[in-house]
Amino acid sequence: MSITIIKNILLFIAMVLLQAVLFNHICLFNIAVPFVFITFIMRLPLSININLLIALSFFTGLSVDVFSDTQGMNALACTILSVLRRPVLSLYFPREDDMVFPEPSLASIGMSAYLKYASSMSFVYCFLIFLIQAFTFFDPWLLILRIIGSTVITFCLIFGVECIIGTRNEKGL
C-alpha cells in the first residue's frame, strides 16, 4: 500500500472518531458546533478520481451520521462539499502544478491560500449542513448566527489540526 493511502486511512479514522467522541458534544452558546472531520475531505489529493472523491466524502459524512444520529444530513453536505472542493481551491490557488505536495495543505499551497481555502470550505459546509437541518428560513437570524459561529470555530480548529498534522507529515516526506 502506498504511504499516501495509509496516511489518508489514518486521517479518516482519527477525524471521524474525534468528531464522534469529542466535537459532536461541543456546542458553544447553543449555537456553534465544530465540524473538524471535513479536514479529511479537504486534504485528499487533487489527483484522486472525482467518483472516488464523491464516494469517500459520502462515506465520511455517513460515518459521522451514524455516530451523530443525523439521518444523512452530513452525507449530503459532504457530497456537495466534495464537488465544490476543486472550484473553491482554484479560486485561491489556480496553479496546481506549483504545489509542493499532491494534497492541499498549509505546506503545499502556502499560508494565505490555505487560510482562504479552509475558511471557504468551512463556510460552505456549515451553510449546507444548517440549511439542510433547518430546511426552512423560519428563523433566519438564528440560522445566520449558527452558520457564522460554526464557521469560525470550525475554521480555527481545522487550522489547528493542519498546523499539527501538516508539519509532521511534510517533514517526514
Side-chain angles (χ1 to χ4, degrees):
M1 254 196 225
S2 171
I3 191 79
T4 305
I5 294 172
I6 293 170
K7 284 191 322 186
N8 284 327
I9 290 171
L10 291 175
L11 182 64
F12 169 79
I13 292 169
M15 289 295 107
V16 170
L17 284 178
L18 279 173
Q19 185 69 38
V21 173
L22 180 64
F23 295 120
N24 277 348
H25 302 289
I26 297 173
C27 186
L28 296 178
F29 308 112
N30 205 16
I31 291 175
V33 179
F35 299 105
V36 180
F37 73 97
I38 64 171
T39 305
F40 172 71
I41 298 168
M42 292 172 50
R43 284 189 60 98
L44 285 171
L46 293 174
S47 60
I48 194 169
N49 183 355
I50 187 69
N51 296 330
L52 181 59
L53 174 67
I54 291 171
L56 287 173
S57 298
F58 177 79
F59 183 68
T60 303
L62 190 63
S63 300
V64 173
D65 283 331
V66 167
F67 291 116
S68 306
D69 195 30
T70 51
Q71 296 104 14
M73 290 187 286
N74 287 302
L76 176 60
C78 285
T79 304
I80 296 170
L81 187 71
S82 69
V83 172
L84 296 175
R85 183 178 82 125
R86 189 173 288 256
V88 168
L89 184 62
S90 67
L91 286 174
Y92 308 119
F93 197 79
R95 303 169 316 274
E96 290 179 15
D97 298 335
D98 293 344
M99 291 181 68
V100 179
F101 304 105
E103 68 268 348
S105 64
L106 193 60
S108 66
I109 64 175
M111 176 75 78
S112 175
Y114 185 79
L115 291 177
K116 292 174 191 173
Y117 170 65
S119 63
S120 297
M121 293 295 278
S122 298
F123 175 75
V124 167
Y125 184 80
C126 291
F127 178 78
L128 288 170
I129 195 72
F130 288 120
L131 193 62
I132 293 166
Q133 184 180 11
F135 206 65
T136 181
F137 290 111
F138 181 69
D139 193 2
W141 294 114
L142 180 62
L143 181 65
I144 291 169
L145 195 59
R146 291 184 81 189
I147 291 170
I148 292 171
S150 294
T151 299
V152 169
I153 193 168
T154 299
F155 168 72
C156 291
L157 289 172
I158 285 175
F159 183 69
V161 167
E162 179 64 33
C163 288
I164 292 169
I165 66 172
T167 55
R168 186 177 303 154
N169 285 342
E170 274 78 29
K171 283 182 183 176
L173 290 176

